[in-house]
């Protein structure tokens, strides 16, 4: 299955992707994770991307498209993948379509996870991630048993630099302007499906599975 997850920052794409990869045994390709790793490793790519990311803006299309092309060419993507956080602009979506039609393997589904703006703010400001295993928590909705410590691996939980309030506002504005139009883009291609991102993580996951099939 070749799947794109669409949705505003904080809609829960990453959380659902982590559950979907276990169920469907296909890799998650998160451009945000790839870029954060490049920043942490201090690579030339990371140095270029950091200022865009810190302000909540988008890294240039050419950079991100290059990363995704490289990743899609790897063997583990042959049986499918979940794209999480890509595409985020119309040029990225068009280029993805070009690349995939060249590989004769078009997308199956673009799944939009829809969440109200007020809820998004709360989710993003409360978000914490484990440095060790990347498990995500939310101090408002799904707090770890012990403050600041990952339930799964005991790792330290941190708040992403771009989850500060003013950066979040910018990220939500960027989403509205650049990424939300992709909902119409995929609708016009006839592959758009939507779920309401309300309720528990498991409820939303079950809705997604019923759309995608067992
Ligand atoms: P995310 O973890 O998906 O919220 O991504 C974190 C940040 O990485 C974004 O705010 C952007 O600065 C950058 N980023 C991730 N994916 C993309 C993309 N497809 N296009 C441009 N920038 C991206």
């Amino acid at each position: 299955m070749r799947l794109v997850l669409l949705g505003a920052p904080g809609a829960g794409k990453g959380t659902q992707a982590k559950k979907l990869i276990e169920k469907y045994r296909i890799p998650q390709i998160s451009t945000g994770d790839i870029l954060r790793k490049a920043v942490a490793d201090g690579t030339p790519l990371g140095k270029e991307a950091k200022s865009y990311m810190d302000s909540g803006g988008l890294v240039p299309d050419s950079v991100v498209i290059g990363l995704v092309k490289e990743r899609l060419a790897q063997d583990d993507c042959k049986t499918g993948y979940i794209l999480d956080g890509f595409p985020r602009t119309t040029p990225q979506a068009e280029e993805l379509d070009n690349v995939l039609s060249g590989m004769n393997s078009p997308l199956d589904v673009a799944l939009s996870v829809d969440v109200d703006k007020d809820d998004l703010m709360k989710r993003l400001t409360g978000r914490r991630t484990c440095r060790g295993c990347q498990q995500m928590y939310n101090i408002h909705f799904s707090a770890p048993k012990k403050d600041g410590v990952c339930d799964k691996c005991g790792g330290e939980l941190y708040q992403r630099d771009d989850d500060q309030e003013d950066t979040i506002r910018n990220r939500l504005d960027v989403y509205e302007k650049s990424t939300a139009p992709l909902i119409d883009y995929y609708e016009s291609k006839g592959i758009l499906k939507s779920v309401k991102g309300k309720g528990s993580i498991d409820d939303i996951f079950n809705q997604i599975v019923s759309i995608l099939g067992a």
Side-chain angles (χ1 to χ4, degrees):
M1 175 175 26
R2 293 179 290 274
L3 172 70
V4 162
L5 281 182
L6 289 174
K13 299 184 299 294
T15 304
Q16 294 299 332
K18 296 230 159 22
K19 291 175 74 70
L20 290 166
I21 58 177
E22 275 174 31
K23 176 161 179 71
Y24 293 102
R25 308 240 159 250
I26 50 179
Q28 170 194 12
I29 303 176
S30 157
T31 41
D33 285 350
I34 296 172
L35 290 167
R36 273 185 291 281
K37 182 166 188 316
V39 171
D41 292 347
T43 65
L45 166 71
K47 288 191 178 122
E48 184 180 353
K50 189 173 183 335
S51 59
Y52 299 102
M53 296 173 76
D54 283 350
S55 68
L58 293 180
V59 174
D61 286 339
S62 56
V63 174
V64 188
I65 288 169
L67 283 178
V68 171
K69 275 190 194 167
E70 244 176 59
R71 184 65 188 86
L72 289 176
Q74 289 172 18
D75 269 358
D76 63 337
C77 291
K78 286 209 170 101
T79 50
Y81 43 80
I82 300 168
L83 281 167
D84 162 17
F86 181 95
R88 254 180 160 97
T89 64
T90 304
Q92 290 180 17
E94 288 171 347
E95 185 56 22
L96 177 64
D97 280 345
N98 285 341
V99 171
L100 296 182
S101 78
M103 293 160 80
N104 222 355
S105 54
L107 289 173
D108 297 309
V109 180
L111 182 85
S112 169
V113 182
D114 303 333
V115 177
D116 294 342
K117 214 168 176 178
D118 290 347
D119 283 348
L120 291 173
M121 205 65 203
K122 212 167 173 190
R123 289 188 186 199
L124 289 164
T125 51
R127 181 154 75 175
R128 301 290 182 275
T129 310
C130 174
R131 283 197 197 283
C133 69
Q134 313 306 315
Q135 175 68 34
M136 294 204 267
Y137 297 87
N138 189 296
I139 56 171
H140 305 298
F141 310 112
S142 53
K145 291 196 182 83
K146 193 172 166 208
D147 246 15
V149 180
C150 178
D151 292 347
K152 266 185 152 175
C153 75
E156 182 200 355
L157 303 185
Y158 75 101
Q159 183 172 28
R160 280 170 39 173
D161 287 344
D162 59 354
D163 278 346
Q164 314 295 330
E165 198 155 332
D166 48 348
T167 314
I168 289 172
R169 282 191 204 289
N170 192 27
R171 289 168 66 206
L172 293 177
D173 288 347
V174 168
Y175 171 78
E176 283 300 327
K177 190 167 149 273
S178 303
T179 311
L182 295 182
I183 295 187
D184 288 342
Y185 178 90
Y186 286 116
E187 178 138 66
S188 73
K189 307 244 164 208
I191 61 166
L192 182 74
K193 308 270 182 196
S194 309
V195 287
K196 284 254 166 289
K198 243 195 163 9
S200 73
I201 290 172
D202 284 339
D203 285 345
I204 299 165
F205 179 67
N206 291 336
Q207 283 183 60
I208 294 177
V209 170
S210 73
I211 286 174
L212 298 179

